[in-house]
Short mmCIF file of all heavy atoms in Angstrom, two decimals:
data_model
loop_
_atom_site.label_atom_id
_atom_site.label_comp_id
_atom_site.label_asym_id
_atom_site.label_seq_id
_atom_site.Cartn_x
_atom_site.Cartn_y
_atom_site.Cartn_z
N MET H 21 -55.04 -6.52 -45.98
CA MET H 21 -56.05 -5.95 -45.29
C MET H 21 -57.27 -7.02 -45.51
O MET H 21 -57.49 -7.40 -46.61
CB MET H 21 -56.46 -4.52 -45.70
CG MET H 21 -57.58 -3.94 -45.00
SD MET H 21 -57.90 -2.21 -45.74
CE MET H 21 -59.62 -2.31 -46.12
N LYS H 22 -58.06 -7.17 -44.43
CA LYS H 22 -59.28 -8.04 -44.45
C LYS H 22 -60.48 -7.31 -43.99
O LYS H 22 -60.37 -6.51 -43.14
CB LYS H 22 -58.90 -9.29 -43.57
CG LYS H 22 -59.88 -10.32 -43.54
CD LYS H 22 -59.41 -11.43 -42.60
CE LYS H 22 -60.42 -12.49 -42.41
NZ LYS H 22 -60.51 -13.44 -43.54
N ALA H 23 -61.56 -7.65 -44.63
CA ALA H 23 -62.91 -7.03 -44.20
C ALA H 23 -63.85 -8.20 -43.71
O ALA H 23 -63.77 -9.28 -44.33
CB ALA H 23 -63.59 -6.35 -45.35
N ILE H 24 -64.52 -7.98 -42.67
CA ILE H 24 -65.44 -8.92 -42.12
C ILE H 24 -66.81 -8.25 -41.88
O ILE H 24 -66.83 -7.05 -41.52
CB ILE H 24 -65.04 -9.52 -40.81
CG1 ILE H 24 -63.67 -10.21 -40.94
CG2 ILE H 24 -65.99 -10.37 -40.08
CD1 ILE H 24 -62.93 -10.54 -39.70
N VAL H 25 -67.83 -8.90 -42.28
CA VAL H 25 -69.28 -8.42 -42.02
C VAL H 25 -69.97 -9.15 -40.84
O VAL H 25 -70.01 -10.38 -41.02
CB VAL H 25 -70.14 -8.49 -43.31
CG1 VAL H 25 -71.59 -7.98 -42.91
CG2 VAL H 25 -69.62 -7.72 -44.39
N GLU H 26 -70.20 -8.47 -39.83
CA GLU H 26 -70.90 -9.11 -38.67
C GLU H 26 -72.29 -9.18 -38.89
O GLU H 26 -72.91 -8.75 -39.83
CB GLU H 26 -70.41 -8.24 -37.55
CG GLU H 26 -68.99 -8.19 -37.10
CD GLU H 26 -68.75 -7.60 -35.72
OE1 GLU H 26 -69.29 -6.63 -35.36
OE2 GLU H 26 -67.61 -8.09 -35.22
N ASP H 27 -72.89 -10.12 -37.90
CA ASP H 27 -74.30 -10.39 -38.07
C ASP H 27 -75.33 -9.23 -37.74
O ASP H 27 -76.49 -9.42 -37.75
CB ASP H 27 -74.68 -11.63 -37.45
CG ASP H 27 -74.47 -11.76 -35.92
OD1 ASP H 27 -74.11 -10.51 -35.43
OD2 ASP H 27 -74.52 -12.69 -35.26
N THR H 28 -74.70 -8.14 -37.51
CA THR H 28 -75.64 -6.98 -37.32
C THR H 28 -75.99 -6.19 -38.51
O THR H 28 -76.77 -5.25 -38.58
CB THR H 28 -74.88 -5.88 -36.32
OG1 THR H 28 -73.61 -5.69 -36.84
CG2 THR H 28 -74.75 -6.41 -34.93
N CYS H 29 -75.47 -6.75 -39.66
CA CYS H 29 -75.74 -6.21 -41.02
C CYS H 29 -77.32 -6.35 -41.28
O CYS H 29 -77.86 -7.34 -40.98
CB CYS H 29 -74.91 -7.05 -42.10
SG CYS H 29 -75.55 -6.69 -43.72
N THR H 30 -77.92 -5.31 -41.71
CA THR H 30 -79.29 -5.23 -42.04
C THR H 30 -79.46 -5.42 -43.64
O THR H 30 -80.69 -5.40 -44.06
CB THR H 30 -79.97 -4.02 -41.66
OG1 THR H 30 -79.35 -2.88 -42.19
CG2 THR H 30 -79.88 -3.95 -40.09
N GLY H 31 -78.45 -5.41 -44.41
CA GLY H 31 -78.59 -5.57 -45.78
C GLY H 31 -79.04 -4.26 -46.54
O GLY H 31 -79.65 -4.37 -47.53
N CYS H 32 -78.53 -3.17 -46.05
CA CYS H 32 -79.08 -1.79 -46.49
C CYS H 32 -78.44 -1.51 -47.88
O CYS H 32 -78.78 -0.86 -48.59
CB CYS H 32 -78.65 -0.76 -45.53
SG CYS H 32 -76.93 -0.35 -45.37
N GLY H 33 -77.20 -2.21 -48.09
CA GLY H 33 -76.58 -2.06 -49.39
C GLY H 33 -75.57 -0.95 -49.61
O GLY H 33 -75.05 -0.76 -50.69
N VAL H 34 -75.45 -0.10 -48.55
CA VAL H 34 -74.44 0.99 -48.58
C VAL H 34 -73.09 0.48 -48.96
O VAL H 34 -72.39 1.13 -49.83
CB VAL H 34 -74.52 1.85 -47.27
CG1 VAL H 34 -73.26 2.83 -47.29
CG2 VAL H 34 -75.75 2.58 -47.11
N CYS H 35 -72.65 -0.46 -48.45
CA CYS H 35 -71.21 -0.90 -48.60
C CYS H 35 -71.21 -1.47 -50.08
O CYS H 35 -69.98 -1.34 -50.70
CB CYS H 35 -70.87 -1.98 -47.62
SG CYS H 35 -71.93 -3.48 -47.76
N VAL H 36 -72.17 -2.07 -50.54
CA VAL H 36 -72.18 -2.64 -51.92
C VAL H 36 -72.05 -1.37 -52.99
O VAL H 36 -71.33 -1.48 -53.96
CB VAL H 36 -73.36 -3.37 -52.30
CG1 VAL H 36 -73.46 -4.00 -53.68
CG2 VAL H 36 -73.43 -4.59 -51.30
N ASP H 37 -72.74 -0.33 -52.65
CA ASP H 37 -72.70 0.80 -53.50
C ASP H 37 -71.39 1.52 -53.40
O ASP H 37 -70.80 2.13 -54.38
CB ASP H 37 -73.79 1.86 -53.17
CG ASP H 37 -75.13 1.32 -53.34
OD1 ASP H 37 -75.20 0.46 -54.30
OD2 ASP H 37 -76.16 1.86 -52.84
N THR H 38 -70.76 1.42 -52.29
CA THR H 38 -69.52 2.26 -51.89
C THR H 38 -68.31 1.46 -52.42
O THR H 38 -67.37 2.04 -52.99
CB THR H 38 -69.36 2.50 -50.45
OG1 THR H 38 -70.51 3.14 -49.96
CG2 THR H 38 -68.15 3.34 -50.19
N CYS H 39 -68.34 0.12 -52.22
CA CYS H 39 -67.19 -0.70 -52.66
C CYS H 39 -67.65 -2.06 -53.18
O CYS H 39 -67.45 -3.06 -52.62
CB CYS H 39 -66.25 -0.79 -51.39
SG CYS H 39 -64.77 -1.72 -51.65
N PRO H 40 -68.12 -1.93 -54.49
CA PRO H 40 -68.59 -3.27 -55.04
C PRO H 40 -67.54 -4.35 -55.26
O PRO H 40 -67.84 -5.44 -55.53
CB PRO H 40 -69.30 -2.83 -56.31
CG PRO H 40 -68.67 -1.40 -56.56
CD PRO H 40 -68.24 -0.68 -55.32
N GLU H 41 -66.33 -3.81 -55.24
CA GLU H 41 -65.17 -4.76 -55.48
C GLU H 41 -65.01 -5.75 -54.38
O GLU H 41 -64.39 -6.83 -54.45
CB GLU H 41 -63.85 -3.96 -55.65
CG GLU H 41 -63.79 -3.10 -56.92
CD GLU H 41 -64.49 -1.76 -56.60
OE1 GLU H 41 -64.80 -1.48 -55.41
OE2 GLU H 41 -64.59 -0.99 -57.56
N VAL H 42 -65.60 -5.29 -53.20
CA VAL H 42 -65.35 -6.20 -51.90
C VAL H 42 -66.72 -6.76 -51.36
O VAL H 42 -66.64 -7.83 -50.72
CB VAL H 42 -64.60 -5.34 -50.77
CG1 VAL H 42 -64.51 -6.07 -49.49
CG2 VAL H 42 -63.08 -4.85 -51.39
N PHE H 43 -67.65 -5.97 -51.53
CA PHE H 43 -69.12 -6.37 -50.83
C PHE H 43 -70.14 -6.62 -51.93
O PHE H 43 -70.19 -6.09 -52.88
CB PHE H 43 -69.45 -5.29 -49.95
CG PHE H 43 -68.57 -4.92 -48.87
CD1 PHE H 43 -67.72 -3.92 -49.08
CD2 PHE H 43 -68.46 -5.74 -47.76
CE1 PHE H 43 -66.84 -3.51 -47.98
CE2 PHE H 43 -67.53 -5.41 -46.81
CZ PHE H 43 -66.69 -4.22 -46.86
N GLU H 44 -70.90 -7.61 -51.57
CA GLU H 44 -72.10 -8.04 -52.37
C GLU H 44 -73.17 -8.45 -51.39
O GLU H 44 -72.99 -8.88 -50.29
CB GLU H 44 -71.58 -9.19 -53.24
CG GLU H 44 -72.41 -9.57 -54.47
CD GLU H 44 -71.72 -10.59 -55.22
OE1 GLU H 44 -70.91 -10.28 -56.14
OE2 GLU H 44 -72.03 -11.82 -55.04
N LEU H 45 -74.42 -8.25 -51.96
CA LEU H 45 -75.53 -8.79 -50.96
C LEU H 45 -75.62 -10.26 -51.43
O LEU H 45 -75.85 -10.72 -52.43
CB LEU H 45 -76.79 -7.94 -51.37
CG LEU H 45 -76.92 -6.51 -50.78
CD1 LEU H 45 -78.20 -6.00 -51.08
CD2 LEU H 45 -76.62 -6.61 -49.29
N GLY H 46 -75.58 -11.01 -50.26
CA GLY H 46 -75.81 -12.49 -50.48
C GLY H 46 -77.21 -12.98 -50.44
O GLY H 46 -78.15 -12.14 -50.47
N ASP H 47 -77.42 -14.27 -50.48
CA ASP H 47 -78.68 -14.80 -50.61
C ASP H 47 -79.67 -14.49 -49.45
O ASP H 47 -80.75 -14.34 -49.62
CB ASP H 47 -78.70 -16.32 -50.61
CG ASP H 47 -77.93 -16.87 -51.84
OD1 ASP H 47 -77.95 -16.02 -52.94
OD2 ASP H 47 -77.33 -17.89 -51.92
N SER H 48 -78.96 -14.20 -48.30
CA SER H 48 -79.88 -13.90 -47.14
C SER H 48 -80.11 -12.36 -46.97
O SER H 48 -80.52 -11.92 -46.04
CB SER H 48 -79.31 -14.39 -45.87
OG SER H 48 -78.91 -15.76 -46.00
N ASP H 49 -79.69 -11.63 -48.03
CA ASP H 49 -79.75 -10.14 -48.11
C ASP H 49 -78.98 -9.53 -46.88
O ASP H 49 -79.49 -8.56 -46.34
CB ASP H 49 -81.31 -9.72 -47.96
CG ASP H 49 -81.97 -9.70 -49.32
OD1 ASP H 49 -81.21 -9.73 -50.30
OD2 ASP H 49 -83.09 -9.55 -49.47
N ILE H 50 -77.94 -10.17 -46.64
CA ILE H 50 -76.89 -9.37 -45.83
C ILE H 50 -75.59 -9.41 -46.68
O ILE H 50 -75.44 -10.17 -47.46
CB ILE H 50 -76.68 -10.10 -44.44
CG1 ILE H 50 -76.10 -11.60 -44.62
CG2 ILE H 50 -77.88 -10.13 -43.59
CD1 ILE H 50 -75.59 -12.24 -43.42
N ALA H 51 -74.76 -8.41 -46.28
CA ALA H 51 -73.51 -8.27 -47.27
C ALA H 51 -72.54 -9.48 -46.97
O ALA H 51 -72.53 -9.90 -45.82
CB ALA H 51 -72.97 -6.91 -46.87
N ILE H 52 -71.96 -9.77 -47.99
CA ILE H 52 -70.94 -10.74 -47.95
C ILE H 52 -69.62 -10.24 -48.46
O ILE H 52 -69.68 -9.34 -49.31
CB ILE H 52 -71.24 -12.15 -48.57
CG1 ILE H 52 -71.55 -11.89 -50.08
CG2 ILE H 52 -72.42 -12.81 -47.92
CD1 ILE H 52 -71.64 -13.10 -50.85
N VAL H 53 -68.47 -10.66 -48.07
CA VAL H 53 -67.17 -10.24 -48.59
C VAL H 53 -66.85 -11.09 -49.70
O VAL H 53 -66.66 -12.34 -49.66
CB VAL H 53 -66.18 -10.36 -47.51
CG1 VAL H 53 -64.68 -9.82 -48.05
CG2 VAL H 53 -66.50 -9.28 -46.29
N ILE H 54 -66.46 -10.48 -50.89
CA ILE H 54 -66.18 -11.21 -52.05
C ILE H 54 -64.73 -11.19 -52.47
O ILE H 54 -64.27 -11.61 -53.45
CB ILE H 54 -67.06 -10.90 -53.28
CG1 ILE H 54 -66.93 -9.39 -53.54
CG2 ILE H 54 -68.53 -11.35 -52.92
CD1 ILE H 54 -67.58 -9.04 -54.86
N ALA H 55 -63.99 -10.47 -51.70
CA ALA H 55 -62.44 -10.19 -51.89
C ALA H 55 -61.71 -10.33 -50.68
O ALA H 55 -61.88 -9.51 -49.90
CB ALA H 55 -62.30 -8.91 -52.65
N ASP H 56 -60.94 -11.39 -50.42
CA ASP H 56 -60.22 -11.62 -49.19
C ASP H 56 -58.87 -12.17 -49.57
O ASP H 56 -58.66 -13.29 -50.15
CB ASP H 56 -60.96 -12.64 -48.40
CG ASP H 56 -60.31 -12.77 -47.04
OD1 ASP H 56 -59.45 -12.02 -46.72
OD2 ASP H 56 -60.60 -13.82 -46.35
N PRO H 57 -57.78 -11.31 -49.50
CA PRO H 57 -57.75 -10.10 -48.83
C PRO H 57 -58.27 -9.00 -49.75
O PRO H 57 -58.50 -9.23 -51.00
CB PRO H 57 -56.13 -9.94 -48.74
CG PRO H 57 -55.55 -10.69 -49.81
CD PRO H 57 -56.40 -12.02 -49.83
N VAL H 58 -58.53 -7.86 -49.17
CA VAL H 58 -59.09 -6.70 -49.97
C VAL H 58 -57.90 -6.28 -50.87
O VAL H 58 -56.74 -6.04 -50.39
CB VAL H 58 -59.41 -5.56 -49.07
CG1 VAL H 58 -59.74 -4.35 -49.84
CG2 VAL H 58 -60.51 -6.01 -48.15
N PRO H 59 -58.14 -6.13 -52.12
CA PRO H 59 -57.02 -5.69 -53.08
C PRO H 59 -56.65 -4.28 -52.69
O PRO H 59 -57.46 -3.42 -52.18
CB PRO H 59 -57.93 -5.58 -54.51
CG PRO H 59 -59.06 -6.46 -54.33
CD PRO H 59 -59.44 -6.45 -52.90
N ALA H 60 -55.36 -4.07 -52.91
CA ALA H 60 -54.70 -2.77 -52.44
C ALA H 60 -55.47 -1.52 -52.98
O ALA H 60 -55.70 -0.58 -52.22
CB ALA H 60 -53.38 -2.75 -52.80
N ASP H 61 -55.93 -1.60 -54.37
CA ASP H 61 -56.55 -0.49 -54.84
C ASP H 61 -57.96 -0.25 -54.41
O ASP H 61 -58.66 0.61 -54.91
CB ASP H 61 -56.41 -0.42 -56.45
CG ASP H 61 -57.03 -1.62 -57.03
OD1 ASP H 61 -57.53 -2.46 -56.32
OD2 ASP H 61 -56.92 -1.73 -58.29
N SER H 62 -58.50 -1.16 -53.58
CA SER H 62 -59.78 -1.01 -53.06
C SER H 62 -59.85 -0.80 -51.67
O SER H 62 -61.03 -0.59 -50.95
CB SER H 62 -60.58 -2.38 -53.35
OG SER H 62 -60.78 -2.63 -54.71
N GLU H 63 -58.71 -0.58 -50.96
CA GLU H 63 -58.70 -0.45 -49.50
C GLU H 63 -59.41 0.87 -49.11
O GLU H 63 -60.11 0.88 -48.13
CB GLU H 63 -57.17 -0.43 -49.06
CG GLU H 63 -56.60 -1.85 -49.09
CD GLU H 63 -55.22 -1.90 -48.42
OE1 GLU H 63 -54.71 -0.86 -48.00
OE2 GLU H 63 -54.66 -3.04 -48.40
N ASP H 64 -59.02 1.92 -49.89
CA ASP H 64 -59.77 3.27 -49.35
C ASP H 64 -61.25 3.14 -49.49
O ASP H 64 -62.02 3.57 -48.54
CB ASP H 64 -59.23 4.44 -50.23
CG ASP H 64 -57.81 4.86 -50.03
OD1 ASP H 64 -57.29 4.35 -48.96
OD2 ASP H 64 -57.21 5.56 -50.74
N ALA H 65 -61.77 2.58 -50.56
CA ALA H 65 -63.17 2.47 -50.78
C ALA H 65 -63.72 1.52 -49.65
O ALA H 65 -64.96 1.76 -49.17
CB ALA H 65 -63.56 1.91 -52.25
N CYS H 66 -63.01 0.55 -49.34
CA CYS H 66 -63.49 -0.42 -48.40
C CYS H 66 -63.58 0.24 -46.99
O CYS H 66 -64.47 0.06 -46.21
CB CYS H 66 -62.51 -1.65 -48.33
SG CYS H 66 -62.95 -3.04 -47.13
N ARG H 67 -62.59 1.07 -46.62
CA ARG H 67 -62.59 1.81 -45.33
C ARG H 67 -63.64 2.78 -45.37
O ARG H 67 -64.39 3.05 -44.41
CB ARG H 67 -61.39 2.59 -45.21
CG ARG H 67 -60.19 1.72 -44.82
CD ARG H 67 -58.82 2.50 -44.51
NE ARG H 67 -57.68 1.68 -44.64
CZ ARG H 67 -57.26 0.90 -43.83
NH1 ARG H 67 -57.88 0.66 -42.59
NH2 ARG H 67 -56.10 0.15 -44.00
N ASP H 68 -64.01 3.45 -46.60
CA ASP H 68 -65.21 4.38 -46.58
C ASP H 68 -66.57 3.51 -46.42
O ASP H 68 -67.43 4.04 -45.65
CB ASP H 68 -65.37 4.97 -47.97
CG ASP H 68 -64.28 5.97 -48.14
OD1 ASP H 68 -63.65 6.47 -47.28
OD2 ASP H 68 -64.00 6.49 -49.39
N ALA H 69 -66.61 2.30 -46.90
CA ALA H 69 -67.79 1.50 -46.66
C ALA H 69 -67.97 1.25 -45.21
O ALA H 69 -69.01 1.30 -44.63
CB ALA H 69 -67.60 0.26 -47.48
N ALA H 70 -66.86 0.93 -44.50
CA ALA H 70 -66.93 0.51 -43.11
C ALA H 70 -67.41 1.81 -42.36
O ALA H 70 -68.16 1.75 -41.43
CB ALA H 70 -65.59 0.10 -42.52
N ASP H 71 -66.80 3.01 -42.66
CA ASP H 71 -67.23 4.30 -42.06
C ASP H 71 -68.69 4.56 -42.21
O ASP H 71 -69.38 5.20 -41.30
CB ASP H 71 -66.37 5.47 -42.40
CG ASP H 71 -65.00 5.37 -42.08
OD1 ASP H 71 -64.70 4.60 -41.20
OD2 ASP H 71 -64.13 5.99 -42.69
N GLN H 72 -69.21 4.32 -43.45
CA GLN H 72 -70.61 4.62 -43.80
C GLN H 72 -71.66 3.60 -43.30
O GLN H 72 -72.91 3.92 -43.34
CB GLN H 72 -70.71 4.84 -45.28
CG GLN H 72 -69.94 6.12 -45.73
CD GLN H 72 -69.84 6.23 -47.27
OE1 GLN H 72 -70.85 5.91 -47.84
NE2 GLN H 72 -68.81 6.73 -47.76
N CYS H 73 -71.24 2.42 -42.99
CA CYS H 73 -72.19 1.42 -42.49
C CYS H 73 -72.99 1.89 -41.43
O CYS H 73 -72.42 2.21 -40.31
CB CYS H 73 -71.34 0.15 -42.27
SG CYS H 73 -72.46 -1.03 -41.51
N PRO H 74 -74.27 1.95 -41.42
CA PRO H 74 -75.13 2.45 -40.38
C PRO H 74 -75.12 1.65 -39.27
O PRO H 74 -75.57 2.00 -38.12
CB PRO H 74 -76.52 2.71 -41.14
CG PRO H 74 -76.62 1.69 -42.20
CD PRO H 74 -75.07 1.67 -42.72
N CYS H 75 -74.80 0.31 -39.33
CA CYS H 75 -74.80 -0.67 -38.29
C CYS H 75 -73.49 -0.96 -37.68
O CYS H 75 -73.28 -1.73 -36.80
CB CYS H 75 -75.41 -1.95 -38.75
SG CYS H 75 -77.09 -1.75 -39.59
N GLU H 76 -72.38 -0.21 -38.15
CA GLU H 76 -71.08 -0.48 -37.73
C GLU H 76 -70.83 -2.08 -37.88
O GLU H 76 -70.04 -2.56 -36.96
CB GLU H 76 -70.84 0.03 -36.34
CG GLU H 76 -71.00 1.48 -36.35
CD GLU H 76 -70.53 2.20 -35.00
OE1 GLU H 76 -70.25 1.37 -34.09
OE2 GLU H 76 -70.68 3.33 -34.82
N ALA H 77 -71.33 -2.65 -38.94
CA ALA H 77 -71.16 -4.19 -39.02
C ALA H 77 -69.89 -4.54 -39.74
O ALA H 77 -69.55 -5.78 -39.79
CB ALA H 77 -72.38 -4.69 -39.81
N ILE H 78 -69.11 -3.56 -40.22
CA ILE H 78 -68.01 -4.03 -40.98
C ILE H 78 -66.70 -3.80 -40.15
O ILE H 78 -66.48 -2.57 -39.70
CB ILE H 78 -67.84 -3.15 -42.36
CG1 ILE H 78 -68.99 -3.35 -43.32
CG2 ILE H 78 -66.46 -3.52 -43.12
CD1 ILE H 78 -69.08 -2.44 -44.39
N VAL H 79 -66.05 -4.84 -39.99
CA VAL H 79 -64.67 -4.81 -39.27
C VAL H 79 -63.59 -4.95 -40.19
O VAL H 79 -63.50 -5.81 -41.03
CB VAL H 79 -64.66 -5.98 -38.26
CG1 VAL H 79 -63.30 -6.04 -37.50
CG2 VAL H 79 -65.89 -5.78 -37.22
N ILE H 80 -62.62 -3.96 -40.17
CA ILE H 80 -61.43 -4.07 -40.86
C ILE H 80 -60.22 -4.50 -40.12
O ILE H 80 -60.03 -4.12 -38.91
CB ILE H 80 -60.99 -2.61 -41.44
CG1 ILE H 80 -62.16 -1.96 -42.21
CG2 ILE H 80 -59.87 -2.60 -42.21
CD1 ILE H 80 -62.54 -2.71 -43.46
N GLN H 81 -59.55 -5.50 -40.65
CA GLN H 81 -58.41 -6.01 -39.98
C GLN H 81 -57.15 -5.61 -40.89
O GLN H 81 -57.09 -6.06 -42.05
CB GLN H 81 -58.31 -7.52 -39.81
CG GLN H 81 -59.55 -7.92 -38.80
CD GLN H 81 -59.64 -9.41 -38.52
OE1 GLN H 81 -59.16 -10.12 -39.46
NE2 GLN H 81 -60.23 -9.81 -37.46
N ASP H 82 -56.24 -4.95 -40.43
CA ASP H 82 -55.11 -4.57 -41.21
C ASP H 82 -53.95 -5.65 -41.13
O ASP H 82 -53.97 -6.37 -40.14
CB ASP H 82 -54.43 -3.21 -40.78
CG ASP H 82 -55.44 -2.05 -41.11
OD1 ASP H 82 -55.71 -1.88 -42.28
OD2 ASP H 82 -55.88 -1.34 -40.20
FE1 LIG L 120 -74.73 -4.44 -43.98
FE2 LIG L 120 -73.44 -2.37 -43.18
FE3 LIG L 120 -73.23 -3.24 -45.78
FE4 LIG L 120 -75.47 -2.05 -44.93
S1 LIG L 120 -73.35 -1.09 -44.99
S2 LIG L 120 -75.27 -3.89 -46.19
S3 LIG L 120 -75.65 -2.73 -42.84
S4 LIG L 120 -72.60 -4.22 -43.79
#
């Protein structure tokens, strides 16, 4: 599984709080993906982060 953050990200930090194994706030204060592919034991949290993103900026590719 792969996670992508699109440029609609506002840097709110929800995904970082929900799934810190995969998301981090980068230098430009937008989220970046730090685990590619997503580790199997982080997949559920990663999907939760995508569901909770207020900007629908996280795309999951299975
Ligand atoms: Fe960006 Fe969405 Fe993560 Fe917020 S939850 S930092 S808008 S990708």
Side-chain angles (χ1 to χ4, degrees):
M21 185 177 125
K22 181 181 177 74
I24 296 167
V25 176
E26 298 190 321
D27 59 10
T28 49
C29 169
T30 59
C32 71
V34 167
C35 59
V36 180
D37 290 341
T38 305
C39 187
E41 298 82 7
V42 176
F43 301 100
E44 197 172 275
L45 284 185
D47 291 340
S48 310
D49 276 346
I50 62 168
I52 58 172
V53 174
I54 56 170
D56 183 16
V58 175
D61 59 0
S62 297
E63 288 188 356
D64 287 348
C66 187
R67 289 183 200 281
D68 285 346
D71 288 344
Q72 292 176 34
C73 172
C75 304
E76 298 183 1
I78 299 172
V79 177
I80 301 292
Q81 294 179 341
D82 289 304

